[in-house]
């Protein structure tokens, strides 16, 4: 069955990445779009030949809509997600799915009760790049993991949109810091680490937080150091160190569809080899995975568990942070 998808919110990211991915992904079709910006809506409808609605309520009342992909500011996700789920639609959401743990858990509980899926849009988790990194770590080639270092930093944006507005969930922590935090959950999905140190910082004159870091400790002694910043030179990298070697790679999070990943692998003696990965459009593979959750209740439940685990880690870092 082809799933009919509505996209709620048409900011630059949705127009550039989400709409084309929905149109390309197997097993789904772009049924329509909703935004408060009529010009953007008209342009999307003209390009994709899809429906439009005058209100979110009209979209959610449309019986031909099977799933809604939400791409609105972060602080709106939880309340709007509740609306989507109560309407009986599958709810797929831009990351992070909520600003608080209780909100994320409530969305998971509601989706379970309504018999529909819920999924969080960390697109990079579905790229061959991250899949191969996870294989290299889990496969034992670098031995027992002793350390993970991950950094994500972005320069000032020409169109920051909600990102500079604290009322809309702006700030580096939720927008950028959620990537390194989700990465360690992706690598170690069944373990909750202890947050031993965390900082969330705000640059002078900024209305929102602009940087942060966290030190995590795992059972067995492994440590993870995570760092994120906005308004800096671009960094996008992860290094995993084991007792038998290490692997590091760049652009683990954001990348173009034609980007070919490279892995720098060191053995126990420090001898280096370089492995090339596969390119891919992680927005398309993410959506195709979300489509698969509809027919796989076990996988759908696993996604709920991961959403909750990611939200808990974000909450622990926020609670542990010092200004």
């Amino acid at each position: 069955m082809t799933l009919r998808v509505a996209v709620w919110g048409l900011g630059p990211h949705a127009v550039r990445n989400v709409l084309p991915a929905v149109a390309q992904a197997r097993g789904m079709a772009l049924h329509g779009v909703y935004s408060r910006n009529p010009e953007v809506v008209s342009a999307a409808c003209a390009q994709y030949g899809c429906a439009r609605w005058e209100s979110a309520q009209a979209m959610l009342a449309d019986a031909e809509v099977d799933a809604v992909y939400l791409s609105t500011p972060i602080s709106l996700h939880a309340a709007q997600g509740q609306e989507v789920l109560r309407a009986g639609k599958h709810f797929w959401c831009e990351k992070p799915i909520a600003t608080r743990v209780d909100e994320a858990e409530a969305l998971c509980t509601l989706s379970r009760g309504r018999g529909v899926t819920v999924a969080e849009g960390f697109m990079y988790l579905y790229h061959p790049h991250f899949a191969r990194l996870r294989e290299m770590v889990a496969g034992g080639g670098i031995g027992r993991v002793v350390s993970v270092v991950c950094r994500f930093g972005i320069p000032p944006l020409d169109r920051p949109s909600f990102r500079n507005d604290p009322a809309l969930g702006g700030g580096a922590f939720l927008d950028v810091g959620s990537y390194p935090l989700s990465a360690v959950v992706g690598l170690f999905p069944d373990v909750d680490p202890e947050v031993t140190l965390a900082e969330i910082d705000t640059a002078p004159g900024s209305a929102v937080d602009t940087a942060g870091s966290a030190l995590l400790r795992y059972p067995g002694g492994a440590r993870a150091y995570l760092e994120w910043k906005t308004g800096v030179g671009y960094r996008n990298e992860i290094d995993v160190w084991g007792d038998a070697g290490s692997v590091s790679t760049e652009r683990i999070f954001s990348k173009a569809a034609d980007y070919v990943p490279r892995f720098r692998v060191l053995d126990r003696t420090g001898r280096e080899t370089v492995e090339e990965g596969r390119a891919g459009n992680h927005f398309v593979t993410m959506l195709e995975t979300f489509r698969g959750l509809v027919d796989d209740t076990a996988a759908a439940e696993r996604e709920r568990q991961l959403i909750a685990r990611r939200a808990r880690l974000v909450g622990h870092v926020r609670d542990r942070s010092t200004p």
Side-chain angles (χ1 to χ4, degrees):
M1 180 188 80
T2 298
L3 214 66
R4 296 163 296 190
V5 179
V7 175
W8 183 353
L10 293 177
H13 164 69
V15 171
R16 183 175 60 252
N17 298 312
V18 178
L19 294 182
V22 174
Q24 295 172 36
R26 294 169 296 180
M28 68 185 65
L30 178 61
H31 183 67
V33 295
Y34 169 68
S35 169
R36 293 182 301 172
N37 186 329
E39 294 181 0
V40 176
V41 168
S42 295
C45 291
Q47 181 174 356
Y48 294 101
C50 62
R52 64 190 298 169
W53 297 275
E54 297 303 316
S55 68
Q57 291 70 32
M59 173 187 64
L60 296 177
D62 191 330
E64 294 189 342
V65 173
D66 300 309
V68 174
Y69 190 97
L70 185 65
S71 186
T72 59
I74 293 170
S75 67
L76 305 179
H77 289 176
Q80 292 174 339
Q82 290 268 348
E83 293 182 56
V84 173
L85 292 168
R86 293 189 188 283
K89 316 295 186 184
H90 300 286
F91 174 46
W92 306 339
C93 186
E94 274 299 316
K95 59 78 196 166
I97 201 168
T99 61
R100 302 198 315 265
V101 180
D102 60 332
E103 293 175 338
E105 291 177 338
L107 290 168
C108 292
T109 299
L110 182 57
S111 76
R112 188 182 297 113
R114 294 291 171 129
V116 291
T117 64
V118 60
E120 190 173 26
F122 284 102
M123 72 294 183
Y124 77 94
L125 293 172
Y126 305 92
H127 196 285
H129 192 179
F130 192 81
R132 179 57 183 144
L133 176 66
R134 189 165 47 217
E135 287 176 359
M136 297 170 85
V137 172
I142 63 171
R144 179 179 59 85
V145 173
V146 298
S147 171
V148 178
V149 177
C150 185
R151 293 186 173 93
F152 194 24
I154 61 174
L157 300 176
D158 294 332
R159 299 174 63 185
S161 183
F162 71 89
R163 292 172 177 83
N164 289 342
D165 188 342
L168 295 178
F173 178 51
L174 291 175
D175 188 40
V176 181
S178 59
Y179 281 96
L181 292 168
S182 64
V184 291
V185 175
L187 290 177
F188 313 111
D190 299 311
V191 183
D192 285 324
E194 176 190 358
V195 180
T196 60
L197 180 68
E199 294 180 322
I200 298 176
D201 299 324
T202 301
S206 175
V208 295
D209 62 280
T210 54
S213 61
L215 181 64
L216 315 180
R217 182 170 60 195
Y218 286 86
R223 304 290 179 95
Y225 176 71
L226 315 177
E227 189 174 12
W228 56 91
K229 296 179 184 292
T230 56
V232 295
Y234 191 76
R235 298 288 292 271
N236 177 357
E237 61 201 24
I238 189 168
D239 180 283
V240 186
W241 187 8
D243 59 8
S246 66
V247 55
S248 59
T249 186
E250 297 184 350
R251 293 195 174 271
I252 190 63
F253 301 125
S254 179
K255 49 190 157 272
D258 61 354
Y259 177 76
V260 178
R262 291 166 60 89
F263 301 90
R264 179 174 180 257
V265 182
L266 301 178
D267 67 12
R268 192 188 298 271
T269 67
R271 184 176 56 186
E272 176 182 333
T273 59
V274 176
E275 176 184 320
E276 282 196 351
R278 293 189 291 116
N281 185 320
H282 44 196
F283 294 103
V284 172
T285 53
M286 176 185 72
L287 287 168
E288 290 177 347
T289 301
F290 290 174
R291 171 63 184 84
L293 301 179
V294 175
D295 303 315
D296 188 337
T297 56
E301 183 58 30
R302 179 62 169 165
E303 173 63 9
R304 294 185 189 101
Q305 294 170 1
L306 289 171
I307 287 171
R309 179 156 270 144
R310 289 189 288 258
R312 284 198 300 271
L313 181 55
V314 167
H316 292 330
V317 169
R318 181 192 281 120
D319 292 345
R320 190 73 171 82
S321 67
T322 57

